[in-house]
Amino acid sequence: MKKYLIIITLWMFFIPVISMAQVTYQKEIRSLVEARCSMCHGPQAPLVDEFKKDKERFTKEKKGPRMDSYPLLLEFVKGKDAGAIMRRLDDGKSKEDKKPGNMYVFLGKDEEERQKNLKTFKDWVGSWNLKRRADLTEEESKKITAPQ
């Protein structure tokens, strides 16, 4: 009887852990980027280095840096432009000025959808940090997972 009680207890403990599915680029983020971001950051958009050379022109054309693949998006999560995605998509609730990032509004048609999509991005990133690459500690960088 004791054996069954232990098995049941362990089973109840591990069910929530097993059922917590990891958010990945392939399963959730890619379709979210396609639906909410590709108008400005899709295949027609310039690569980041080209965008930076003529930011004013591309902004007028409603084009941002291209982010339509895992490697391209990862540049803005934990690459040389680390934290850019987090700063742009953040809802501002944890910031002193409470001002959301300039791309937060595009995460959904209403606040409920924006919060849901923001949570998906946060779960994918692993450690939501608004710091720039140069300001991240090695430990903070390691916590940014963003699995493919």
Side-chain angles (χ1 to χ4, degrees):
M1 183 66 171
K2 218 177 199 184
K3 182 179 175 182
Y4 291 113
L5 186 59
I6 291 171
I7 291 171
I8 291 170
T9 303
L10 287 173
W11 182 254
M12 289 174 61
F13 174 74
F14 284 109
I15 287 176
V17 174
I18 293 168
S19 68
M20 287 173 47
Q22 183 182 40
V23 175
T24 67
Y25 176 81
Q26 292 298 330
K27 287 192 298 185
E28 290 88 7
I29 300 300
R30 187 172 81 188
S31 61
L32 186 53
V33 169
E34 286 172 1
R36 306 302 315 167
C37 313
S38 66
M39 285 283 281
C40 301
H41 298 280
Q44 79 291 353
L47 295 174
V48 69
D49 291 336
E50 183 184 353
F51 175 81
K52 287 178 178 179
K53 289 177 187 173
D54 201 354
K55 187 177 179 178
E56 188 177 324
R57 175 175 69 93
F58 288 120
T59 302
K60 284 180 184 175
E61 294 175 3
K62 299 212 183 293
K63 290 182 183 175
R66 191 170 172 186
M67 298 181 195
D68 64 332
S69 71
Y70 179 73
L72 292 174
L73 184 60
L74 210 56
E75 271 306 304
F76 300 93
V77 176
K78 64 180 192 175
K80 65 182 177 185
D81 285 310
I85 277 290
M86 290 81 108
R87 289 187 302 278
R88 303 288 180 144
L89 296 180
D90 193 66
D91 60 7
K93 291 181 179 178
S94 64
K95 291 170 45 185
E96 200 172 300
D97 66 4
K98 303 297 182 201
K99 184 178 176 186
N102 65 332
M103 297 294 140
Y104 174 71
V105 69
F106 298 106
L107 278 177
K109 62 185 178 303
D110 56 33
E111 186 63 17
E112 183 180 346
E113 183 180 9
R114 286 189 286 272
Q115 284 295 311
K116 176 182 167 275
N117 290 337
L118 178 61
K119 183 183 179 328
T120 301
F121 262 101
K122 284 182 173 185
D123 290 347
W124 175 63
V125 168
S127 178
W128 197 254
N129 197 315
L130 305 183
K131 292 181 180 178
R132 296 182 186 282
R133 177 83 185 157
D135 300 324
L136 286 169
T137 66
E138 188 176 329
E139 188 165 317
E140 288 170 330
S141 292
K142 287 179 183 177
K143 289 180 180 178
I144 299 172
T145 55
Q148 187 171 3

